[in-house]
Structures are given as structure tokens and as C-alpha cells.
Amino acid sequence: MDQVSPAPFSSADFRARFAAQPEAHAGGDYGDHRFNPGHPRLNPGKPLRNAAVLIPVVDHDGEATVLLTKRAEKLRDHSGQVAFPGGTIDATDASPEAAALRETFEEIGLGQDRIEIIGRMPDYVAGSGYRIAPVLGIVRPHFQLTLNADEVDAAFEVPLRFLMDAANHKRDSRIWNDLEWFFYDMPYGDRRIWGVTAGIIRTLYERLYA
């Protein structure tokens, strides 16, 4: 009997695409420098800080979504921006995967019992001075979230189909210290997905869907 291919943009299709990538978390040179070669912001003169984020692909029947957060407006850094759950890798974290799971639970109350880690993508170097490990997870649906109001104002889902469509990947820029800084921008309804989060999404697209 012929094997039936998983539905496009389902979690099964996402899993299969990732599994087909040899050494998926290795290779590649991804980060803000790809859009801003030679920009002085990318040479801060100090070591990069290690961080990890979870890319939570929610296993809805047939059509997966990606769970994103809106950072609290009262935060000092990147306030109000759309982000993946995650943060700095602590010395007590056994791995980037452990850090991403811990931060996800601390930020939105999504426990690791509902998350299946399938691997991670190449590190993404951000202009803010972080080396970010994007960890991929399949999330069982029908979960209840508990948002940490000190860190997150909202959590919402975006169809994987939308995020993996290059037509929705716009290029934009802003002026930083009198110099232009380029980034991806992916507006979705009243949400604006841009900057590092959009850059990581673009990386995912290039590795698995382009």
C-alpha cells in the first residue's frame, strides 16, 4: 500500500521536513548580519550572550499553528514586541532545550509534558548581542496557559501556512544611530511580527520550506 503523505502545513509534515534535514541544527550562518553586512551595531566588542527560544508548533488537525507571545509593555528591553517564549540560558540549564522549556513554562505556563522537542535549528545571532538557539517543539493542543504578567501581555497562534509563505515576508528598515537597519516584517492582523522573531521564522522557511 502506498504511504499517504501528511497534509501540507500539518505538524506531521513539519516533523517530516525537519527529519529530512541532515544535521539540522548545524551549518548555515544566520542572523541579523545577513541583512546588515558591516553594520557597526554587529560589533559590540563583547562576547555574545547565549539564549534559547521555543518554536511551539501546535498540532491542530491538518493545519498546524505557531504559538507566539507579546512581550509586556513594561519590560525595559523589546517591550511590546512579538516573540517566541524563551530567554537567557542559565548556568543551571543542562542544554538550550532545557532553557527553552524552562522559559516557556515561566512565561506562559505551558508545561513540558505537552511539548515534544524534535530538535533545533542553527543558532541565530541577533544585533542585540545574543546567540539564540531556536528549539523546535510539537505542542499538544487544548492547553491552558498562565501568563506571567511581568513578562508577557498576550499569547496567540498564527497559522504555520501563513508564516511559511514568502509572500508574507516583507523587508523593512528603521534608522539606528543615523544608520539604516534592515529586518523582516510579517504583519498578521493587528499583530506585527518583526525583527529577530521574523528573522528566525525566515530561517525556518529557508531551511524547511523554500
Side-chain angles (χ1 to χ4, degrees):
M1 180 180 294
D2 293 338
Q3 185 174 0
V4 177
S5 298
F9 304 106
S10 64
S11 62
D13 176 68
F14 180 83
R15 185 196 301 274
R17 287 172 181 270
F18 178 75
Q21 293 284 320
E23 298 292 329
H25 71 277
D29 182 27
Y30 296 99
D32 292 341
H33 56 280
R34 295 184 73 195
F35 330 126
N36 301 276
H39 199 289
R41 184 184 182 193
L42 299 169
N43 297 285
K46 55 184 179 181
L48 294 168
R49 291 167 287 179
N50 292 319
V53 297
L54 181 70
I55 301 178
V57 176
V58 185
D59 184 19
H60 295 295
D61 291 339
E63 286 276 339
T65 62
V66 177
L67 180 62
L68 293 165
T69 70
K70 176 180 176 290
R71 290 171 58 83
E73 295 285 354
K74 58 187 175 184
L75 288 173
R76 182 181 64 181
D77 296 325
H78 308 293
S79 60
Q81 291 186 13
V82 170
F84 292 111
T88 302
I89 298 176
D90 292 344
T92 54
D93 292 319
S95 63
E97 289 82 358
L101 289 171
R102 174 183 56 76
E103 287 281 351
T104 297
F105 183 72
E106 291 176 0
E107 290 182 9
I108 61 175
L110 183 62
Q112 65 183 61
D113 59 315
R114 300 198 72 89
I115 305 167
E116 178 193 355
I117 299 298
I118 63 171
R120 70 177 194 261
M121 299 297 288
D123 292 347
Y124 186 98
V125 177
S128 54
Y130 284 92
R131 180 183 298 279
I132 303 168
V135 177
L136 304 180
I138 305 295
V139 180
R140 288 192 291 118
H142 312 303
F143 46 76
Q144 295 291 325
L145 300 181
T146 303
L147 304 186
N148 180 343
D150 291 331
E151 298 190 49
V152 174
D153 281 346
F156 60 99
E157 296 177 41
V158 179
L160 181 64
R161 180 186 295 272
F162 175 89
L163 295 175
M164 294 300 106
D165 185 347
N168 298 320
H169 302 176
K170 313 299 183 185
R171 293 292 296 273
D172 203 348
S173 68
R174 63 169 46 180
I175 301 300
W176 182 87
N177 285 359
D178 298 324
L179 293 172
E180 195 167 19
W181 179 259
F182 292 92
F183 50 85
Y184 277 103
D185 194 354
M186 305 172 184
Y188 178 73
D190 61 351
R191 305 292 189 185
R192 185 187 180 200
I193 307 165
W194 67 287
V196 171
T197 302
I200 292 173
I201 291 169
R202 178 70 185 190
T203 298
L204 191 65
Y205 163 78
E206 291 179 3
R207 296 283 289 201
L208 303 187
Y209 289 86

